[in-house]
mmCIF file of all heavy atoms in Angstrom:
data_model
loop_
_atom_site.group_PDB
_atom_site.id
_atom_site.type_symbol
_atom_site.label_atom_id
_atom_site.label_comp_id
_atom_site.label_asym_id
_atom_site.label_seq_id
_atom_site.Cartn_x
_atom_site.Cartn_y
_atom_site.Cartn_z
ATOM 1 N N ALA N 1 9.081 -12.161 -10.893
ATOM 2 C CA ALA N 1 9.492 -11.702 -9.567
ATOM 3 C C ALA N 1 9.371 -10.187 -9.459
ATOM 4 O O ALA N 1 8.955 -9.659 -8.413
ATOM 5 C CB ALA N 1 10.928 -12.142 -9.279
ATOM 6 N N ALA N 2 9.708 -9.475 -10.535
ATOM 7 C CA ALA N 2 9.584 -8.011 -10.524
ATOM 8 C C ALA N 2 8.131 -7.586 -10.332
ATOM 9 O O ALA N 2 7.837 -6.620 -9.626
ATOM 10 C CB ALA N 2 10.147 -7.428 -11.815
ATOM 11 N N ILE N 3 7.214 -8.307 -10.955
ATOM 12 C CA ILE N 3 5.783 -8.008 -10.778
ATOM 13 C C ILE N 3 5.389 -8.192 -9.314
ATOM 14 O O ILE N 3 4.672 -7.369 -8.730
ATOM 15 C CB ILE N 3 4.934 -8.910 -11.690
ATOM 16 C CG1 ILE N 3 5.141 -8.531 -13.158
ATOM 17 C CG2 ILE N 3 3.449 -8.813 -11.324
ATOM 18 C CD1 ILE N 3 4.520 -9.499 -14.141
ATOM 19 N N ALA N 4 5.871 -9.262 -8.697
ATOM 20 C CA ALA N 4 5.548 -9.523 -7.293
ATOM 21 C C ALA N 4 6.136 -8.444 -6.388
ATOM 22 O O ALA N 4 5.476 -7.990 -5.433
ATOM 23 C CB ALA N 4 6.061 -10.901 -6.886
ATOM 24 N N VAL N 5 7.360 -8.018 -6.659
ATOM 25 C CA VAL N 5 7.981 -6.970 -5.846
ATOM 26 C C VAL N 5 7.188 -5.673 -5.948
ATOM 27 O O VAL N 5 6.909 -5.008 -4.942
ATOM 28 C CB VAL N 5 9.444 -6.740 -6.282
ATOM 29 C CG1 VAL N 5 10.025 -5.522 -5.564
ATOM 30 C CG2 VAL N 5 10.295 -7.965 -5.990
ATOM 31 N N GLU N 6 6.814 -5.317 -7.164
ATOM 32 C CA GLU N 6 6.046 -4.084 -7.336
ATOM 33 C C GLU N 6 4.665 -4.192 -6.703
ATOM 34 O O GLU N 6 4.147 -3.214 -6.152
ATOM 35 C CB GLU N 6 5.926 -3.742 -8.824
ATOM 36 C CG GLU N 6 5.133 -2.482 -9.132
ATOM 37 C CD GLU N 6 5.767 -1.203 -8.590
ATOM 38 O OE1 GLU N 6 6.870 -1.263 -7.997
ATOM 39 O OE2 GLU N 6 5.151 -0.126 -8.752
ATOM 40 N N THR N 7 4.076 -5.366 -6.743
ATOM 41 C CA THR N 7 2.802 -5.576 -6.055
ATOM 42 C C THR N 7 2.961 -5.310 -4.557
ATOM 43 O O THR N 7 2.133 -4.628 -3.944
ATOM 44 C CB THR N 7 2.304 -7.012 -6.279
ATOM 45 O OG1 THR N 7 2.061 -7.212 -7.681
ATOM 46 C CG2 THR N 7 1.024 -7.282 -5.510
ATOM 47 N N ALA N 8 4.029 -5.843 -3.976
ATOM 48 C CA ALA N 8 4.283 -5.615 -2.554
ATOM 49 C C ALA N 8 4.493 -4.136 -2.269
ATOM 50 O O ALA N 8 3.996 -3.606 -1.265
ATOM 51 C CB ALA N 8 5.505 -6.419 -2.106
ATOM 52 N N ARG N 9 5.227 -3.452 -3.145
ATOM 53 C CA ARG N 9 5.484 -2.018 -2.933
ATOM 54 C C ARG N 9 4.190 -1.211 -2.974
ATOM 55 O O ARG N 9 3.929 -0.363 -2.104
ATOM 56 C CB ARG N 9 6.443 -1.486 -3.991
ATOM 57 C CG ARG N 9 6.899 -0.042 -3.734
ATOM 58 C CD ARG N 9 7.694 0.505 -4.896
ATOM 59 N NE ARG N 9 6.828 0.781 -6.033
ATOM 60 C CZ ARG N 9 6.120 1.911 -6.185
ATOM 61 N NH1 ARG N 9 6.166 2.860 -5.254
ATOM 62 N NH2 ARG N 9 5.371 2.099 -7.242
ATOM 63 N N LEU N 10 3.351 -1.466 -3.965
ATOM 64 C CA LEU N 10 2.108 -0.703 -4.104
ATOM 65 C C LEU N 10 1.189 -0.914 -2.909
ATOM 66 O O LEU N 10 0.604 0.038 -2.374
ATOM 67 C CB LEU N 10 1.404 -1.086 -5.403
ATOM 68 C CG LEU N 10 2.113 -0.649 -6.694
ATOM 69 C CD1 LEU N 10 1.447 -1.277 -7.914
ATOM 70 C CD2 LEU N 10 2.108 0.877 -6.811
ATOM 71 N N TRP N 11 1.050 -2.159 -2.463
ATOM 72 C CA TRP N 11 0.207 -2.430 -1.306
ATOM 73 C C TRP N 11 0.798 -1.812 -0.033
ATOM 74 O O TRP N 11 0.063 -1.294 0.815
ATOM 75 C CB TRP N 11 0.017 -3.930 -1.126
ATOM 76 C CG TRP N 11 -1.105 -4.500 -1.924
ATOM 77 C CD1 TRP N 11 -1.023 -5.209 -3.081
ATOM 78 C CD2 TRP N 11 -2.503 -4.426 -1.614
ATOM 79 N NE1 TRP N 11 -2.289 -5.575 -3.522
ATOM 80 C CE2 TRP N 11 -3.206 -5.112 -2.625
ATOM 81 C CE3 TRP N 11 -3.234 -3.842 -0.574
ATOM 82 C CZ2 TRP N 11 -4.598 -5.231 -2.625
ATOM 83 C CZ3 TRP N 11 -4.610 -3.958 -0.573
ATOM 84 C CH2 TRP N 11 -5.286 -4.647 -1.585
ATOM 85 N N THR N 12 2.119 -1.866 0.098
ATOM 86 C CA THR N 12 2.758 -1.307 1.292
ATOM 87 C C THR N 12 2.503 0.181 1.409
ATOM 88 O O THR N 12 2.083 0.683 2.470
ATOM 89 C CB THR N 12 4.276 -1.572 1.250
ATOM 90 O OG1 THR N 12 4.519 -2.975 1.368
ATOM 91 C CG2 THR N 12 4.990 -0.847 2.381
ATOM 92 N N PHE N 13 2.747 0.912 0.343
ATOM 93 C CA PHE N 13 2.584 2.361 0.418
ATOM 94 C C PHE N 13 1.113 2.758 0.409
ATOM 95 O O PHE N 13 0.751 3.787 0.984
ATOM 96 C CB PHE N 13 3.371 3.034 -0.707
ATOM 97 C CG PHE N 13 4.846 3.046 -0.435
ATOM 98 C CD1 PHE N 13 5.652 1.991 -0.809
ATOM 99 C CD2 PHE N 13 5.434 4.102 0.246
ATOM 100 C CE1 PHE N 13 7.010 1.975 -0.528
ATOM 101 C CE2 PHE N 13 6.789 4.105 0.533
ATOM 102 C CZ PHE N 13 7.583 3.038 0.147
ATOM 103 N N GLY N 14 0.273 1.932 -0.191
ATOM 104 C CA GLY N 14 -1.156 2.163 -0.067
ATOM 105 C C GLY N 14 -1.619 1.990 1.360
ATOM 106 O O GLY N 14 -2.419 2.780 1.878
ATOM 107 N N ALA N 15 -1.103 0.967 2.031
ATOM 108 C CA ALA N 15 -1.482 0.714 3.421
ATOM 109 C C ALA N 15 -0.952 1.802 4.347
ATOM 110 O O ALA N 15 -1.610 2.158 5.335
ATOM 111 C CB ALA N 15 -0.966 -0.649 3.866
ATOM 112 N N ALA N 16 0.229 2.325 4.063
ATOM 113 C CA ALA N 16 0.779 3.404 4.883
ATOM 114 C C ALA N 16 -0.158 4.605 4.912
ATOM 115 O O ALA N 16 -0.284 5.296 5.937
ATOM 116 C CB ALA N 16 2.149 3.822 4.362
ATOM 117 N N GLN N 17 -0.844 4.849 3.801
ATOM 118 C CA GLN N 17 -1.810 5.945 3.740
ATOM 119 C C GLN N 17 -3.162 5.522 4.308
ATOM 120 O O GLN N 17 -3.777 6.239 5.101
ATOM 121 C CB GLN N 17 -1.976 6.403 2.284
ATOM 122 C CG GLN N 17 -0.721 6.989 1.675
ATOM 123 C CD GLN N 17 -0.243 8.238 2.399
ATOM 124 O OE1 GLN N 17 -1.046 9.064 2.831
ATOM 125 N NE2 GLN N 17 1.064 8.377 2.550
ATOM 126 N N ALA N 18 -3.637 4.343 3.929
ATOM 127 C CA ALA N 18 -4.969 3.893 4.349
ATOM 128 C C ALA N 18 -5.056 3.691 5.854
ATOM 129 O O ALA N 18 -6.140 3.801 6.437
ATOM 130 C CB ALA N 18 -5.332 2.598 3.630
ATOM 131 N N ALA N 19 -3.934 3.404 6.497
ATOM 132 C CA ALA N 19 -3.946 3.174 7.947
ATOM 133 C C ALA N 19 -4.462 4.378 8.716
ATOM 134 O O ALA N 19 -4.906 4.241 9.860
ATOM 135 C CB ALA N 19 -2.541 2.812 8.431
ATOM 136 N N HIS N 20 -4.429 5.548 8.101
ATOM 137 C CA HIS N 20 -4.832 6.774 8.780
ATOM 138 C C HIS N 20 -6.200 7.278 8.331
ATOM 139 O O HIS N 20 -6.556 8.434 8.624
ATOM 140 C CB HIS N 20 -3.763 7.847 8.553
ATOM 141 C CG HIS N 20 -2.394 7.438 9.001
ATOM 142 N ND1 HIS N 20 -2.055 7.327 10.331
ATOM 143 C CD2 HIS N 20 -1.292 7.074 8.297
ATOM 144 C CE1 HIS N 20 -0.790 6.929 10.431
ATOM 145 N NE2 HIS N 20 -0.309 6.767 9.220
ATOM 146 N N LEU N 21 -6.964 6.448 7.647
ATOM 147 C CA LEU N 21 -8.313 6.832 7.269
ATOM 148 C C LEU N 21 -9.164 7.076 8.517
ATOM 149 O O LEU N 21 -9.000 6.406 9.543
ATOM 150 C CB LEU N 21 -8.963 5.737 6.426
ATOM 151 C CG LEU N 21 -8.435 5.549 4.993
ATOM 152 C CD1 LEU N 21 -9.016 4.277 4.389
ATOM 153 C CD2 LEU N 21 -8.777 6.761 4.128
ATOM 154 N N GLU N 22 -10.090 8.017 8.432
ATOM 155 C CA GLU N 22 -10.978 8.281 9.560
ATOM 156 C C GLU N 22 -11.892 7.098 9.835
ATOM 157 O O GLU N 22 -12.259 6.842 10.986
ATOM 158 C CB GLU N 22 -11.802 9.541 9.292
ATOM 159 C CG GLU N 22 -10.983 10.823 9.305
ATOM 160 C CD GLU N 22 -11.850 12.045 9.149
ATOM 161 O OE1 GLU N 22 -13.096 11.913 9.213
ATOM 162 O OE2 GLU N 22 -11.294 13.143 8.966
ATOM 163 N N ASP N 23 -12.274 6.384 8.794
ATOM 164 C CA ASP N 23 -13.118 5.198 8.941
ATOM 165 C C ASP N 23 -12.238 4.046 9.415
ATOM 166 O O ASP N 23 -11.473 3.467 8.645
ATOM 167 C CB ASP N 23 -13.780 4.861 7.608
ATOM 168 C CG ASP N 23 -14.760 3.696 7.702
ATOM 169 O OD1 ASP N 23 -14.637 2.879 8.634
ATOM 170 O OD2 ASP N 23 -15.632 3.588 6.820
ATOM 171 N N ALA N 24 -12.322 3.711 10.699
ATOM 172 C CA ALA N 24 -11.444 2.698 11.281
ATOM 173 C C ALA N 24 -11.621 1.346 10.608
ATOM 174 O O ALA N 24 -10.642 0.640 10.363
ATOM 175 C CB ALA N 24 -11.700 2.574 12.777
#
């Protein structure tokens, strides 16, 4: 479960940054 939680965290914060890429 800890692995799954950390997976969700990494993707979430990665997406928070990637959402603002110039390449739509």
Side-chain angles (χ1 to χ4, degrees):
I3 291 171
V5 172
E6 179 64 2
T7 297
R9 187 188 73 84
L10 291 171
W11 274 103
T12 293
F13 285 88
Q17 296 298 322
H20 303 288
L21 289 170
E22 291 185 10
D23 184 337

